[in-house]
Amino acid sequence: MYEHPYYQYTRFEQDELARRAELQRFIAEHSDQIVARPEGPIGRMLRRIGAAFGRRSGRAAQRQTPCEPAVAR
């Protein structure tokens, strides 16, 4: 009989879910051993750009006053 390929895909998904569950369990058990990597040049650049935009939009948002709601027609 013809075997539908969806069955193989489902089996692959189940294997992936099992692998992810095992990884999550391992991380939970060994969380004290996790060390953050040093930030690279792209990460520093993105942080600086985000901080610059965050400061500008934060200041602008504080200066603006809320508008009155539009009158229903």
Side-chain angles (χ1 to χ4, degrees), residues 5-18:
Y6 182 74
Y7 176 73
Q8 294 172 355
Y9 180 72
T10 303
R11 195 176 333 157
F12 173 75
E13 275 187 335
Q14 290 173 350
D15 292 344
E16 279 291 305
L17 288 173

Side-chain angles (χ1 to χ4, degrees), residues 19-44:
R19 186 185 65 79
R20 288 181 187 178
E22 178 64 24
L23 180 63
Q24 290 295 325
R25 184 193 60 78
F26 180 82
I27 289 173
E29 289 178 359
H30 303 303
S31 61
D32 59 330
Q33 299 176 2
I34 297 174
V35 178
R37 289 190 293 185
E39 195 173 54
I42 295 177
R44 289 191 299 268

